[in-house]
Amino acid sequence: MKLYYSPGTCSLASHIILKETGLPHSLEKVDLKTKKTETGEDFLAINGRGAVPALETAPGVYLTQNVAILPYIGDHSTVPAFKPAAGSLERARLAEALGFCEDIHSAVGVLFVDVLEPSVRERLVGLAHRRLGQFEAMLTEGRDYWLETGFTQADALAFVILSWAKPLNLDLSPYIKAVALRDRVAARPAVQAALKEEGLA
């Protein structure tokens, strides 16, 4: 498998899960401004939306969107928590968590827009905090990770989104459980390895 990524973006979650699984893979960095890969490929020919991640699963076969890529990687791994049985409640819970990650992503990621009127930014920050508050309420006191099954793809994706708070000047101090989860995920060896490969650690 080959992962097309851009450092620190949501593609980092797929990178982390590849490292966690130990599955053979390669990486290809994408310049999201020019839509060119580091070897000069036209990334728009790989993903017409121009967004990362994209995963080449076989020569010329590409999968996009973390909600598809993360379960796909899990299904090809030997990690039970990454590949709940089809039709099980655990499978549905993982899909539910990944779906909510995308809700948080939309609410937080929009704040990266370069030019926002102060009143617009204030309203968007309020929406981001609404989602973050919902996330905090979903986390169970005393549980290391989001779901009962332990560390999953949802934790990796939540970690990446929460890591954007610092460059966006978002105050996470009200979200004690979420910050603890972020820090716990950050300490995992596979996460540190992925961060180092992306030049972020």
Side-chain angles (χ1 to χ4, degrees):
M1 289 186 277
K2 179 192 285 188
L3 178 68
Y4 291 86
Y5 78 101
S6 185
T9 66
C10 63
S11 59
L12 175 58
S14 292
H15 189 181
I16 288 168
I17 296 303
L18 283 168
K19 299 296 286 186
E20 288 276 354
T21 63
L23 290 167
H25 64 277
S26 60
L27 301 170
E28 179 102 13
K29 187 159 65 172
V30 178
D31 185 324
L32 293 177
K33 291 182 179 178
T34 65
K35 306 301 181 186
K36 295 288 186 183
T37 76
E38 61 187 326
T39 60
E41 289 183 80
D42 177 8
F43 186 60
L44 291 175
I46 293 166
N47 181 5
R49 295 181 300 104
V52 292
L55 186 72
E56 187 174 29
T57 61
V61 179
Y62 302 102
L63 188 63
T64 65
Q65 303 280 16
N66 265 318
V67 292
I69 293 172
L70 291 169
Y72 179 87
I73 296 169
D75 284 340
H76 286 78
S77 79
T78 59
V79 182
F82 291 179
K83 49 187 293 185
S88 67
L89 182 60
E90 290 79 13
R91 185 84 179 191
R93 290 296 185 205
L94 178 56
E96 180 181 47
L98 289 172
F100 188 70
C101 280
E102 292 303 320
D103 291 342
I104 308 172
H105 182 181
S106 296
V108 173
V110 70
L111 297 173
F112 279 112
V113 174
D114 289 336
V115 182
L116 287 174
E117 293 290 332
S119 60
V120 173
R121 180 177 176 79
E122 183 179 359
R123 183 170 62 84
L124 292 175
V125 167
L127 292 172
H129 280 296
R130 176 171 171 265
R131 289 299 190 199
L132 290 166
Q134 291 170 342
F135 178 52
E136 178 76 3
M138 291 177 184
L139 300 176
T140 301
E141 191 75 43
R143 185 189 292 170
D144 285 347
Y145 297 108
W146 188 347
L147 302 178
E148 288 184 15
T149 49
F151 177 78
T152 69
Q153 297 96 313
D155 297 300
L157 187 49
F159 159 76
V160 173
I161 298 165
L162 291 170
S163 72
W164 299 339
K166 186 174 181 179
L168 291 173
N169 294 315
L170 270 180
D171 179 17
L172 295 184
S173 62
Y175 314 115
I176 296 169
K177 290 179 288 185
V179 169
L181 174 69
R182 179 200 64 189
D183 294 348
R184 196 172 292 116
V185 173
R188 295 179 68 89
V191 176
Q192 287 298 309
L195 289 169
K196 186 174 181 181
E197 285 186 351
E198 295 196 11
L200 302 171

